[in-house]
Amino acid sequence: MQQKQRVLVVGNGGREHAIAWKLARDGAEVFTAPGNAGTALCGTNIAVQATDTDAIVAASKKHGIELVVVGPEAPLVAGLVDALTAAGVRAFGPSAQAAQLEGSKIFCKEIMHAGDIPTAMHRQFHSMEQAQDFLEAREDEPVVVKADGLAAGKGVFVCDNRADAIAAVEQLRCDPQFSKASRGVLIEERLDGVEVSIMAITDGRTIVTLPPLQDHKAAYDGDEGPNTGGMGAFCPAPFVDDTLRQEIEERILVPTVHTMRRRRTPFHGVLYGGLMLTAQGPKVLEFNVRFGDPECQALLARMESSLLDLLNAAVDRRLAELAPLRWKNGASVSVVMASEGYPGTVTAGLPIRGLDRAAALADIEVFHAATQIDPADPQQVLATGGRVLAVTATGSSLARAKLRAYEGVREIRWRGGWCRKDIADKGLRHEREQAATVDADPAPPDSAPPEATS
Ligand code: AMP
Ligand code: GLY
């Protein structure tokens, strides 16, 4: 029998549990650093922090790791893939330079400008005072204020008017995280439309586009409340048909990969486009350089092909040879369960009940994020942070997947644990509207759109 490939997944969130789960199903021997109570079920957790580059390199050597998959952005921006590669360890993910696409919003805008990639118009400023002067002098319009540098979702302010925008700049000026860490501030046109997440795996030349998803960034139902890391996702997002997907590839993903190569910062790994579908076509809100969380959980729940083969092919620069990916028919929905107080301060260490009952349901995977096994009781899982679980279901339709996901949610409880109740509703509404249009205006058979090619 062939030996299992030893793979190390770096990170400890729901995304990393989903990656570890899928790689284990694909036949890998999985290690996770540092992992959580969920990844412990897929293989071996190694007690090393994701941002401790030297310790990750040392652990990879010690455990004979043949492939490292880096989940979160911080270690990528800090150069983990460079350090692993220099040490002779194969690693999936971009170099520190290429990770600037997420690490610096100003770098990202420069790449988009060089590649003629559609995005919001913007101005950049190197001081908060300049940004404020600019806002005072121009028309009172909705804008978005963004701090440069990694901000874990906290550096973006979507503003209705000038007063809000000036207040946002002032808030950045007073926040030590930004006044110190950020190299500047961006003010950009506020775009209107539907948001989608589209990810592609690239080896620097070839791209493999994955099915589109939609995240839910706001904390509460109806997209109310503060911005979060993401409260749920569904796949596929029906707003992106094959024609639009092709346009996104041709106008956004491919030119980005080409521009990165031309500028001698070739991009390898996951290119994640956070897009706004505007009346003028798809525009980039941001690029991330890794799988989205919770998009990854909803995506991998539907993936039938081997993720292990896909990531190995990307690292070996042979994506062009790979057969088209296969996905489960229907849809998937991932509902994030969070601790009381998230996205603010939360109480850690509360016992979670019902995980086994939820996991026993068909078509459901409960991916763990902020969890750990109770040191006093190995059978008990504790909630240790803000986003705790991503209850993920597949179904033959989006409606069925949603129903199933919430059946899973119903089994699980801990004190103060909560979730949004409307994950996937925008997708369902879109499906109903499309069906109503088709019913009202049936197209003659000879006007059917051409066959999709991807
Ligand atoms: P980011 O952290 O860059 O993903 O931004 C957080 C959220 O802010 C995005 O998911 C959007 O909902 C919103 N956003 C960012 N840029 C814009 C923009 N130019 N127009 C409208 N909304 C935006
Ligand atoms: N879900 C959005 C992100 O991962 O950045």
Side-chain angles (χ1 to χ4, degrees), residues 93-111:
S95 66
Q97 268 197 324
Q100 284 302 301
L101 204 55
E102 177 168 358
S104 164
K105 293 187 191 304
I106 292 175
F107 176 89
C108 179
K109 285 287 190 188
E110 281 167 11
I111 294 294

Side-chain angles (χ1 to χ4, degrees), residues 15 73 102 197 215-217 228-233 272 286 288 290-296 387:
R15 164 185 47 215
E73 61 276 18
E102 177 168 358
S197 309
D215 187 12
H216 297 67
K217 287 249 171 87
T228 70
M231 296 302 295
Y272 166 127
E286 60 160 351
N288 293 329
R290 35 99 195 154
F291 285 110
D293 185 340
E295 288 95 326
C296 184
R387 291 194 295 172

Side-chain angles (χ1 to χ4, degrees), residues 85-416:
T85 308
V89 181
R90 293 167 74 247
F92 174 78
S95 66
Q97 268 197 324
Q100 284 302 301
L101 204 55
E102 177 168 358
S104 164
K105 293 187 191 304
I106 292 175
F107 176 89
C108 179
K109 285 287 190 188
E110 281 167 11
I111 294 294
M112 289 196 276
H113 181 71
D116 201 16
I117 293 150
T119 183
M121 285 190 298
H122 81 287
R123 292 282 297 263
Q124 74 190 53
F125 301 94
H126 288 284
S127 82
M128 301 292 174
E129 290 74 19
Q130 283 172 351
Q132 268 174 344
D133 290 347
F134 171 78
L135 287 167
E136 303 275 9
R138 73 194 292 279
E139 278 188 40
D140 190 352
E141 278 174 351
V143 292
V144 181
V145 176
K146 297 185 175 182
D148 197 24
L150 284 186
K154 274 171 50 196
V156 176
F157 300 82
V158 180
C159 305
D160 287 331
N161 51 45
R162 179 196 287 147
D164 286 359
I166 289 176
V169 174
E170 187 56 29
Q171 194 172 327
L172 288 177
R173 195 215 305 264
C174 298
D175 187 329
Q177 181 188 348
F178 297 112
S179 46
K180 243 195 327 191
S182 106
R183 277 157 296 178
V185 59
L186 249 94
I187 295 183
E188 67 178 45
E189 151 198 35
R190 191 171 110 185
L191 300 175
D192 278 326
V194 174
E195 262 187 85
V196 293
S197 309
I198 190 144
M199 296 182 270
I201 307 290
T202 178
D203 58 9
R205 290 180 175 275
T206 302
I207 70 163
V208 175
T209 308
L210 307 173
L213 297 106
Q214 189 173 54
D215 187 12
H216 297 67
K217 287 249 171 87
Y220 311 134
D221 285 14
D223 291 335
E224 300 286 337
N227 203 33
T228 70
M231 296 302 295
F234 59 95
C235 177
F239 323 100
V240 182
D241 60 14
D242 286 323
T243 313
L244 180 54
R245 174 168 148 163
Q246 208 172 337
E247 183 184 346
I248 291 168
E249 275 183 9
E250 286 169 7
R251 293 187 57 206
I252 295 174
L253 300 174
V254 169
T256 303
V257 171
H258 278 320
T259 307
M260 291 293 279
R261 201 172 72 223
R262 256 203 339 265
R263 307 242 311 194
R264 300 190 199 290
T265 48
F267 190 91
H268 308 120
V270 183
L271 178 63
Y272 166 127
L275 311 182
M276 189 73 94
L277 305 180
T278 74
Q280 290 76 41
K283 294 190 181 183
V284 178
L285 296 176
E286 60 160 351
F287 279 123
N288 293 329
V289 299
R290 35 99 195 154
F291 285 110
D293 185 340
E295 288 95 326
C296 184
Q297 292 88 311
L299 182 82
L300 295 186
R302 284 193 61 221
M303 188 175 189
E304 283 184 344
S305 304
S306 165
L307 177 67
L308 185 62
D309 289 351
L310 176 65
L311 302 186
N312 275 314
V315 172
D316 297 340
R317 316 280 190 259
R318 48 177 181 78
L319 278 181
E321 298 163 19
L322 207 73
L325 298 179
R326 286 172 291 105
W327 303 91
K328 260 191 198 172
N329 284 333
S332 58
V333 171
S334 188
V335 177
V336 169
M337 296 185 76
S339 291
E340 187 172 16
Y342 178 75
T345 316
V346 303
T347 311
L350 298 173
I352 307 174
R353 316 259 172 237
L355 284 170
D356 290 345
R357 281 197 302 280
L361 296 173
D363 305 321
I364 290 198
E365 291 301 328
V366 180
F367 294 120
H368 291 220
T371 67
Q372 79 172 48
I373 294 166
D374 187 346
D377 174 4
Q379 303 305 317
Q380 180 62 59
V381 173
L382 306 175
T384 57
R387 291 194 295 172
V388 174
L389 302 167
V391 182
T392 307
T394 51
S396 55
S397 66
L398 188 56
R400 281 173 200 270
K402 177 187 169 187
L403 201 71
R404 203 85 187 118
Y406 282 102
E407 279 169 10
V409 165
R410 259 207 308 278
E411 298 292 341
I412 300 172
R413 48 182 50 101
W414 71 96
R415 187 151 53 81

